[in-house]
Amino acid sequence: MNTSPDMSIEIAGIPMRNPVMVASGTFGYGVEYADMVDIGSLGAVVVKGICMEPCDGNLPPRMAEVPSGLVNAIGLQGPGVKGFVENYMPFLRQHKTPVIVNIWGRTIEEYANVAAAFDVVEGIAGLELNISCPNVKEGGVSFGTDLRMAAKVISAVRRSTKLPLIPKLSPNVAGIGAFARMAEDEGADAISLINTLPALVIDVETRRPVLRNGVGGLSGAGIHHFAVKQVWDASRVVSIPVIGMGGIYEPDDALRFLLAGASAVAVGTANFTEPRTAMRVIAGMEDYVQRHEYGSIRDVVGMLQYGQVKP
Amino acid sequence: MNTSPDMSIEIAGIPMRNPVMVASGTFGYGVEYADMVDIGSLGAVVVKGICMEPCDGNLPPRMAEVPSGLVNAIGLQGPGVKGFVENYMPFLRQHKTPVIVNIWGRTIEEYANVAAAFDVVEGIAGLELNISCPNVKEGGVSFGTDLRMAAKVISAVRRSTKLPLIPKLSPNVAGIGAFARMAEDEGADAISLINTLPALVIDVETRRPVLRNGVGGLSGAGIHHFAVKQVWDASRVVSIPVIGMGGIYEPDDALRFLLAGASAVAVGTANFTEPRTAMRVIAGMEDYVQRHEYGSIRDVVGMLQYGQVKP
Amino acid sequence: MQVETGIVQEHFDIGSGYRRLTLSAPTVCPQVKPGQFIHLRVPGLGESLLRRPFSIYRAEAGAISVLYKQVGKGTRELAFLPVGGYADFIGPLGNGFPLPHPENCIPVLVAGGYGVAPLSLLARNMDLKGIVFVGGRTAEDLLCLEDFKEMGWALEVTTEDGSAGLKGRVTDALDAWLSKGQKAIVYACGPDGMLEAIDKRLLQHELPGWLSLDKHMGCGVGACLACVQRVHTEDGGTRWKRCCCDGPIFAAGEIDWEFGKDAS
Amino acid sequence: MQVETGIVQEHFDIGSGYRRLTLSAPTVCPQVKPGQFIHLRVPGLGESLLRRPFSIYRAEAGAISVLYKQVGKGTRELAFLPVGGYADFIGPLGNGFPLPHPENCIPVLVAGGYGVAPLSLLARNMDLKGIVFVGGRTAEDLLCLEDFKEMGWALEVTTEDGSAGLKGRVTDALDAWLSKGQKAIVYACGPDGMLEAIDKRLLQHELPGWLSLDKHMGCGVGACLACVQRVHTEDGGTRWKRCCCDGPIFAAGEIDWEFGKDAS
Ligand SMILES: Cc1cc2nc3c(=O)[nH]c(=O)nc-3n(C[C@H](O)[C@H](O)[C@H](O)COP(=O)(O)OP(=O)(O)OC[C@H]3O[C@@H](n4cnc5c(N)ncnc54)[C@H](O)[C@@H]3O)c2cc1C
Ligand SMILES: Cc1cc2nc3c(=O)[nH]c(=O)nc-3n(C[C@H](O)[C@H](O)[C@H](O)COP(=O)(O)OP(=O)(O)OC[C@H]3O[C@@H](n4cnc5c(N)ncnc54)[C@H](O)[C@@H]3O)c2cc1C
Ligand SMILES: Cc1cc2nc3c(=O)[nH]c(=O)nc-3n(C[C@H](O)[C@H](O)[C@H](O)COP(=O)(O)O)c2cc1C
Ligand SMILES: Cc1cc2nc3c(=O)[nH]c(=O)nc-3n(C[C@H](O)[C@H](O)[C@H](O)COP(=O)(O)O)c2cc1C
Ligand code: FES
Ligand code: FES
């Protein structure tokens, strides 16, 4: 009765003690939260997006608070592969928790290069591939909203790394299922979704965008049930595992993703308000597994009873 | 100083006393709110979606409250053209406020028929065309997320009516601009956006969707800044007027749409919480025009100073 | 129907986990019919929370009272509203119980949970006295019993665990009474299951009656179509009615209890 | 750095539109250095509101005090927090002012608005006494003047409208003092414009100093990269620092005030 339930899960060949990770860009490189969060208790740590070279990101202001969420335009500031490996990997290697590196690029070559660079770094469990970046060679259209371009990126990265590969899908597409299937076809080991939704916050007094970059990405509680729908659409058309994220604050939010077909989840924006959200979510999920007498958390995955109604 | 500012605007050839309408499905047929809201003070009334025949809509539960919004799956219950004209037009004709009828169909023919039917009805200022409906002839894919199908609907309706035609765009597409341009090319007099975002609310205890229909549409404050971004993207690529909607609760919310390029706005979900939202929004916009010494509300349209940053 | 901003005049526990909230309502109060409700904006929960519907328990001296239980986000927040604070509501809403009460019929009230609230108001507005059946899971779930005693009504209490009154369901007590064959008209308010059971009995005994039905509501005024209930039509078909404005009171035999059940 | 849930011990107006909030903080209090801040979760605003940063004004007897003004959603809600209520915060955050204060330098504090709060704590933790410049738009904007008087510091007050002290800006009074050419070290906290003006003067007079900078914050702990400020690097380039953890205190001459200005 009181023995803790089986929460372990394997995603893209990465064994995790539980299915609750922290989302890229919302937990720094782990070390920032180490005083308050037991890194060892997390399913995995996904670090802030890294590209080959150090990147300055956007000018501030970079963040705006909105109803039930926030809009950010950090702009992928980061230390580059070398800076990350030197400054942060020693800390991250101290824990048994899998480290998933979120990578990005401005061109297909850059994507491939950064993936290859991480292939030889010790202590990295897998790569999450942020495809929601502008393709500087094609007029700045986001890779992630163009099926053909996204396929090229994933395929190039797949050929550059033997690490487990987890493309992270953009939500603002007409049919997320097609992107999910394409990712599987291109050799992804898992997919994660959703990234932020494009948003524009305007200050009506100055008549300017609040964020210096203009547009930003919307995250938080307000997008949660939209994200669950996307995960449900994606998970039904692929056989690789799905990692769900978007507005997880409570255990129930995480459970919704699992019921909708995700094998794991990531806590994002909530970390800023409550750094211990992932730990609280894990505890609540354990309780759920016990109360409902599931054999393991894996038995919850995809258990949504959608009824006779057609999708 | 104290004379009320010029709030009038013309959308799709429809003169309105101000740019604040009420959104389809959130204000019934006007009569439901007549005790509390001065219908005569609104820019226009957009009625709940109507198709040719009476329609039962979905089984309840049809609505779920979520953070900063709600998810609905009413399923387009309505009295059909005949029922609407007989039961509701006599009331609506009593006011000088333009009546815009939101129409929908399951096939292109149905869309065209309902448009033609309204062409001969007295007292209708224009048609808003809800293209976010499943195409029953093509496996239930939404017309509104397929550029080719959406074009066919708009073109068929355009040929069936001489009334001002306002296609209402679906937000869950990769590039709303292409849909906006297509609408203009097919002869639309204005476009409105956004319709609700697809969402799935799951009850983790029952493991079922909260809504009987399964999925529903997300609306309210949580989608506001996403909607503003969509309006901004759309308004820059068309020369026809844009009507912005999504999460308007305060005058500032409406002003953001105007700054982003909308010529008018519609108040939706907020009506349920505060029926007098549109009236309050109009008053706040008047104040803004005066404080900023604009000649008229029309001078606010598209005045966003986006800066040098590329979109 | 109006939007009115009321000042909290009273707000206190009445036992069984329920609280009574009294709001000044000079405009709305005089318009109230028993069985109607208000759609209350819970202060302090931000713009986007939907209003919450509550049956009117009292409408007198320019004020309106409701009884509520803390069951979720809205009612938990509502409990913090201090005397002297403000809350705005739309009301009175719904059709209310048809009045006057027909002659030569014994009025029979059947209540479950907060269903006693509108029935207590109905009893107060009747000249006749009748019998009221109040049921709950345990003694803890019963409220307003004193109201009916004070008004001189006969009272039959049932609890599922036998902790108060007869052990059993409210319909068991009702069955015993109905079997006497008296000419009666029934007014009922409570959970769907209870109402369906009562409706079946009214049909059996060919008695008239009125059922007050609670559905989750969006607008409360008929605009959103969230609160629909399927009803039989005269031509043998069925159609939707909106609980908020076509209801919440439905005639015995009117509701189509089967519609949609099979598809679930 | 910890998450701690404090009990409200005091919460009252201190004039000039500011309120003082004191929270029990047995764990965080002993760790505090002047110039650090707490990241406070405003109770009653739901899950999704970001925390709000406030400079630590007092850290003594196992409690922490902050001074704040009601300027927006969060601080307006904060004002309702009753004595005896709870609020949780992360702290102590930020680098704080470097200690100990260098010898043979007169400490000069320059404060605008709530900038007096961290400087008052700094003064209390110093053995030396120096001079403090406090500026505001009108007399209404000045606070904590008594603190410095009690501690025996020299005090120079300026207001833009002349309603208290000298008419003018705080930098006018500072200029007059600096022109005497005394060996000083400056600690400043206030709006960006004020800090930039002071930084320029420190460069001119070749004086050391520390500037406390307030940027909008997300996480408060270095994870989100919302709060960045461009600084000069030793090799003549520039780079970002995070105000929340690399700051909020920056050395005189460190900040690149021009970066990004041209592009706006
Ligand atoms: C006509 C009518 C009269 C009523 N009279 C009374 C009364 O006199 N006393 C009383 O205590 N209660 C009464 N109720 C019920 C009362 O409205 C609910 O208890 C109240 O809405 C609960 O609000 P909450 O925010 O506390 O709970 P919630 O946080 O809303 O949780 C309660 C449950 O209901 C669901 N829910 C609530 N509203 C909706 C909605 N609009 N759409 C979908 N799901 C929803 C939630 O998902 C949750 O499961 C009445 C209801 C109706 C329709
Ligand atoms: C290190 C530091 C120390 C501070 N110390 C004090 C202090 O001692 N006393 C004091 O009164 N204030 C202090 N502040 C400022 C204080 O944090 C703000 O006044 C407070 O956040 C305002 O919150 P609010 O919810 O009332 O206002 P808001 O509703 O947030 O509105 C205030 C304005 O700030 C903007 N804003 C607020 N937070 C953000 C954000 N994260 N991203 C983008 N925009 C944002 C809003 O858009 C709005 O225009 C400090 C700030 C920092 C960074
Ligand atoms: C401040 C911030 C920074 C982010 N940075 C990244 C990033 O570098 N790479 C990435 O793939 N996603 C990034 N994201 C997206 C999140 O990982 C996550 O997909 C999204 O925020 C949705 O989850 P949430 O609603 O729980 O925050 C960022 C999100 C936020 C709020
Ligand atoms: C209950 C409900 C019913 C709706 N019905 C319709 C409809 O019949 N036709 C339509 O085009 N849009 C419909 N909508 C969408 C709204 O008109 C509007 O586009 C959307 O809700 C976004 O605005 P909001 O966030 O202000 O609600 C409906 C929305 C809601 C909440
Ligand atoms: S609650 Fe909106 S129609 Fe009844
Ligand atoms: S506030 Fe998040 S990095 Fe500083």
Side-chain angles (χ1 to χ4, degrees):
Chain A
M1 185 53 242
N2 246 343
T3 57
S4 54
D6 178 5
M7 296 291 285
S8 68
I9 199 140
E10 196 181 288
I11 301 283
I14 309 167
M16 299 183 189
R17 87 201 62 200
N18 63 58
V20 183
M21 342 200 312
V22 284
S24 178
T26 67
F27 207 74
Y29 308 99
V31 63
E32 296 84 352
Y33 278 115
D35 279 3
M36 290 180 283
V37 179
D38 175 9
I39 306 288
S41 71
L42 302 174
V45 171
V46 186
V47 300
K48 172 73 185 163
I50 306 278
C51 74
M52 206 63 215
E53 299 301 323
C55 172
D56 268 345
N58 293 324
L59 291 174
R62 291 174 164 188
M63 195 182 277
E65 196 179 59
V66 298
S68 292
L70 56 84
V71 177
N72 91 81
I74 305 298
L76 295 167
Q77 179 184 333
V81 175
K82 190 157 162 289
F84 168 70
V85 173
E86 282 175 11
N87 298 325
Y88 298 106
M89 278 310 293
F91 168 84
L92 288 166
R93 284 193 198 103
Q94 289 168 25
H95 305 273
K96 292 210 186 101
T97 303
V99 174
I100 295 174
V101 178
N102 180 287
I103 62 170
W104 63 278
R106 292 176 201 84
T107 62
I108 292 177
E109 298 70 47
E110 247 183 57
Y111 271 109
N113 289 344
V114 64
F118 278 114
D119 228 30
V120 296
V121 176
E122 192 207 311
I124 288 174
L127 298 178
E128 184 179 56
L129 183 64
N130 178 0
I131 57 173
S132 305
C133 300
N135 182 343
V136 295
K137 289 212 178 145
E138 303 215 9
V141 178
S142 166
F143 287 103
T145 56
D146 181 312
L147 199 59
R148 189 187 49 85
M149 265 166 31
K152 279 196 191 162
V153 172
I154 298 172
S155 145
V157 170
R158 175 71 296 173
R159 287 190 308 266
S160 314
T161 183
K162 280 180 284 299
L163 285 169
L165 181 61
I166 310 169
K168 181 168 177 177
L169 306 185
S170 291
N172 51 316
V173 297
I176 195 85
F179 284 81
R181 250 192 321 252
M182 172 277 291
E184 180 168 26
D185 291 346
E186 297 297 343
D189 300 292
I191 51 173
S192 66
L193 64 158
I194 62 172
N195 215 318
T196 55
L197 270 172
L200 172 58
V201 187
I202 296 173
D203 180 328
V204 302
E205 293 304 322
T206 64
R207 295 193 303 271
R208 287 179 180 278
V210 168
L211 302 181
R212 185 65 174 274
N213 181 58
V215 302
L218 176 65
S219 63
I223 66 169
H224 174 61
H225 300 279
F226 167 71
V228 172
K229 165 73 162 68
Q230 300 279 91
V231 162
W232 189 64
D233 285 351
S235 68
R236 282 174 305 143
V237 298
V238 295
S239 55
I240 50 177
V242 173
I243 303 168
M245 65 198 78
I248 298 180
Y249 285 75
E250 301 295 332
D252 281 4
D253 302 331
L255 288 163
R256 278 188 205 101
F257 281 114
L258 262 61
L259 290 167
S263 299
V265 297
V267 174
T269 300
N271 290 313
F272 301 152
T273 306
E274 178 43 82
R276 297 164 303 185
T277 302
M279 294 170 71
R280 195 164 43 83
V281 164
I282 294 164
M285 290 169 83
E286 286 180 354
D287 175 60
Y288 183 86
V289 169
Q290 274 175 334
R291 264 192 305 116
H292 289 261
E293 299 180 355
Y294 282 105
S296 96
I297 190 70
R298 298 181 297 280
D299 296 338
V300 178
V301 174
M303 287 300 287
L304 176 66
Q305 308 295 306
Y306 195 78
Q308 290 86 336
V309 189
K310 282 203 305 293
Chain B
M1 183 56 241
N2 246 341
T3 58
S4 55
D6 179 4
M7 296 291 285
S8 68
I9 200 139
E10 195 181 289
I11 302 282
I14 309 166
M16 299 184 191
R17 85 200 64 198
N18 63 58
V20 183
M21 341 199 311
V22 284
S24 178
T26 67
F27 207 75
Y29 307 99
V31 62
E32 297 85 351
Y33 279 116
D35 278 3
M36 291 179 283
V37 179
D38 175 9
I39 306 287
S41 71
L42 303 174
V45 171
V46 186
V47 300
K48 172 75 185 162
I50 306 278
C51 73
M52 206 63 217
E53 299 300 323
C55 171
D56 267 345
N58 294 323
L59 290 174
R62 292 174 165 188
M63 194 182 278
E65 195 179 60
V66 298
S68 292
L70 56 85
V71 177
N72 90 81
I74 305 299
L76 296 168
Q77 178 183 334
V81 175
K82 191 159 161 288
F84 168 71
V85 172
E86 281 175 10
N87 298 325
Y88 297 106
M89 279 309 294
F91 168 83
L92 288 165
R93 283 193 197 103
Q94 288 167 27
H95 306 273
K96 292 211 187 102
T97 302
V99 175
I100 296 175
V101 178
N102 180 287
I103 61 169
W104 64 277
R106 293 176 200 83
T107 62
I108 292 177
E109 298 70 46
E110 247 185 57
Y111 271 109
N113 288 344
V114 63
F118 277 115
D119 229 31
V120 296
V121 176
E122 191 207 313
I124 288 173
L127 298 179
E128 184 179 57
L129 182 64
N130 178 359
I131 58 173
S132 306
C133 299
N135 182 342
V136 294
K137 290 212 178 144
E138 302 215 10
V141 179
S142 166
F143 286 103
T145 57
D146 182 311
L147 199 58
R148 189 186 49 85
M149 265 166 33
K152 279 194 189 161
V153 173
I154 297 173
S155 143
V157 170
R158 177 70 295 172
R159 287 191 307 268
S160 314
T161 182
K162 279 180 286 297
L163 284 169
L165 181 60
I166 310 170
K168 180 168 179 178
L169 305 186
S170 290
N172 52 317
V173 297
I176 195 85
F179 283 80
R181 249 190 324 249
M182 171 278 289
E184 181 167 25
D185 291 345
E186 297 297 343
D189 301 292
I191 51 173
S192 65
L193 65 157
I194 62 173
N195 215 316
T196 55
L197 270 171
L200 172 58
V201 187
I202 296 174
D203 180 328
V204 302
E205 294 304 321
T206 63
R207 297 194 301 273
R208 286 177 180 280
V210 168
L211 302 181
R212 185 65 174 273
N213 181 58
V215 302
L218 175 64
S219 62
I223 67 169
H224 174 62
H225 301 278
F226 167 71
V228 172
K229 165 73 162 68
Q230 300 280 89
V231 162
W232 189 65
D233 285 351
S235 69
R236 282 174 305 144
V237 298
V238 295
S239 54
I240 49 176
V242 173
I243 302 168
M245 66 198 78
I248 298 179
Y249 285 75
E250 300 295 333
D252 281 5
D253 302 330
L255 288 164
R256 279 187 205 102
F257 281 114
L258 262 59
L259 290 167
S263 300
V265 298
V267 173
T269 300
N271 290 313
F272 301 152
T273 307
E274 178 44 82
R276 297 163 303 184
T277 301
M279 293 170 70
R280 196 165 41 84
V281 164
I282 293 163
M285 290 170 83
E286 285 180 356
D287 175 59
Y288 183 86
V289 170
Q290 273 174 334
R291 265 194 303 118
H292 289 261
E293 297 179 355
Y294 283 105
S296 95
I297 190 70
R298 298 181 298 281
D299 296 337
V300 178
V301 174
M303 286 301 287
L304 175 67
Q305 308 295 306
Y306 195 77
Q308 290 85 336
V309 190
K310 283 204 305 296
Chain C
M1 180 204 313
Q2 246 97 25
V3 196
E4 183 155 26
T5 302
I7 301 171
V8 180
Q9 298 186 336
E10 308 175 310
H11 199 176
F12 56 92
D13 286 330
I14 57 162
S16 302
Y18 278 85
R19 285 170 74 77
R20 175 171 173 167
L21 171 69
T22 305
L23 293 163
S24 66
T27 318
V28 171
C29 174
Q31 307 172 34
V32 173
K33 281 173 62 181
Q36 289 189 303
F37 65 94
I38 58 168
H39 210 24
L40 184 72
R41 171 99 168 255
V42 179
L45 274 183
E47 292 289 344
S48 45
L49 196 87
L50 290 171
R51 288 169 184 265
R52 300 289 190 250
F54 297 98
S55 300
I56 298 169
Y57 169 63
R58 289 290 177 266
E60 49 200 30
I64 278 178
S65 300
V66 301
L67 308 180
Y68 71 94
K69 199 173 194 163
Q70 293 181 44
V71 298
K73 199 176 156 189
T75 46
R76 270 197 301 268
E77 182 68 27
L78 185 58
F80 290 114
L81 191 62
V83 171
Y86 294 90
D88 97 55
F89 53 88
I90 304 174
L93 296 174
N95 51 1
F97 289 108
L99 287 174
H101 179 80
E103 275 175 56
N104 302 324
C105 277
I106 300 172
V108 176
L109 312 185
V110 193
Y114 59 77
V116 290
L119 294 177
S120 171
L121 183 61
L122 178 68
R124 272 171 83 95
N125 282 31
M126 273 185 191
D127 296 327
L128 283 170
K129 300 197 191 312
I131 181 166
V132 56
F133 296 86
V134 182
R137 225 170 25 80
T138 80
E140 281 291 280
D141 299 321
L142 306 171
L143 67 161
C144 299
L145 303 183
E146 292 306 315
D147 289 0
F148 298 100
K149 286 184 198 159
E150 278 168 20
M151 290 186 274
W153 281 57
L155 175 66
E156 286 264 22
V157 171
T158 54
T159 52
E160 287 175 40
D161 67 355
S163 55
L166 290 172
K167 184 176 164 123
R169 294 175 175 244
V170 74
T171 39
D172 299 334
L174 182 65
D175 281 339
W177 191 88
L178 289 177
S179 67
K180 296 181 203 162
Q182 303 195 57
K183 194 168 172 205
I185 176 166
V186 173
Y187 302 86
C189 185
D192 273 20
M194 182 192 109
L195 296 180
E196 185 175 350
I198 291 168
D199 206 14
K200 209 173 285 172
R201 283 159 177 80
L202 296 180
L203 213 65
Q204 256 169 32
H205 293 86
E206 292 180 18
L207 287 177
W210 299 97
L211 310 175
S212 174
L213 208 67
D214 291 346
K215 291 272 162 202
H216 288 316
M217 287 183 181
C219 65
V221 302
C224 74
L225 309 179
C227 63
V228 292
Q229 171 60 50
R230 202 72 183 179
V231 297
H232 297 289
T233 53
E234 306 209 334
D235 61 6
T238 64
R239 67 177 185 96
W240 294 121
K241 272 194 172 182
R242 294 159 299 180
C243 269
C244 64
C245 56
D246 306 321
I249 318 289
F250 295 83
E254 186 179 5
I255 290 173
D256 180 352
W257 296 104
E258 296 310 313
F259 193 84
K261 263 194 188 162
D262 46 341
S264 84
Chain D
M1 180 204 314
Q2 246 96 25
V3 196
E4 184 154 25
T5 302
I7 300 171
V8 181
Q9 298 185 336
E10 308 175 311
H11 199 175
F12 57 92
D13 286 331
I14 57 163
S16 302
Y18 278 85
R19 285 170 74 78
R20 174 171 175 167
L21 171 69
T22 305
L23 293 164
S24 67
T27 318
V28 171
C29 174
Q31 307 171 34
V32 172
K33 281 172 62 181
Q36 289 189 303
F37 65 95
I38 58 169
H39 211 27
L40 184 72
R41 172 100 167 255
V42 178
L45 275 184
E47 292 289 343
S48 43
L49 196 86
L50 290 172
R51 287 169 184 267
R52 299 290 190 251
F54 297 98
S55 301
I56 297 169
Y57 169 63
R58 289 290 177 265
E60 49 199 32
I64 278 178
S65 300
V66 300
L67 308 180
Y68 71 93
K69 198 172 194 164
Q70 292 181 45
V71 297
K73 200 175 156 189
T75 45
R76 269 197 300 268
E77 183 68 28
L78 186 57
F80 290 114
L81 191 61
V83 172
Y86 294 90
D88 96 56
F89 53 88
I90 305 175
L93 296 174
N95 51 0
F97 290 107
L99 286 174
H101 179 78
E103 276 175 55
N104 302 325
C105 276
I106 301 171
V108 176
L109 312 185
V110 193
Y114 59 77
V116 291
L119 294 177
S120 170
L121 183 61
L122 179 68
R124 272 171 83 95
N125 282 31
M126 273 187 193
D127 296 328
L128 284 169
K129 299 197 192 315
I131 181 167
V132 55
F133 295 86
V134 182
R137 225 171 24 80
T138 80
E140 281 291 281
D141 299 323
L142 306 170
L143 67 161
C144 300
L145 303 184
E146 291 306 314
D147 289 0
F148 297 100
K149 286 184 199 159
E150 278 167 21
M151 290 186 273
W153 281 57
L155 175 65
E156 286 264 20
V157 170
T158 53
T159 52
E160 287 175 41
D161 67 354
S163 54
L166 288 172
K167 184 175 164 123
R169 292 173 178 248
V170 75
T171 39
D172 299 334
L174 182 65
D175 282 339
W177 190 89
L178 288 177
S179 67
K180 296 182 204 162
Q182 304 196 55
K183 195 169 171 202
I185 175 166
V186 173
Y187 302 86
C189 186
D192 273 19
M194 183 192 107
L195 296 179
E196 184 176 350
I198 291 169
D199 206 15
K200 210 174 283 170
R201 282 159 178 80
L202 296 180
L203 212 67
Q204 255 170 34
H205 293 86
E206 292 179 20
L207 287 176
W210 299 99
L211 310 174
S212 175
L213 208 66
D214 291 347
K215 291 271 161 202
H216 288 316
M217 289 184 179
C219 66
V221 302
C224 74
L225 309 178
C227 63
V228 292
Q229 172 59 50
R230 202 73 183 178
V231 297
H232 297 289
T233 53
E234 305 209 334
D235 62 6
T238 64
R239 67 177 185 95
W240 295 120
K241 273 194 171 183
R242 295 160 299 181
C243 270
C244 64
C245 55
D246 307 320
I249 318 289
F250 294 84
E254 186 181 4
I255 290 173
D256 180 353
W257 296 104
E258 295 310 314
F259 194 84
K261 264 194 187 162
D262 46 340
S264 83

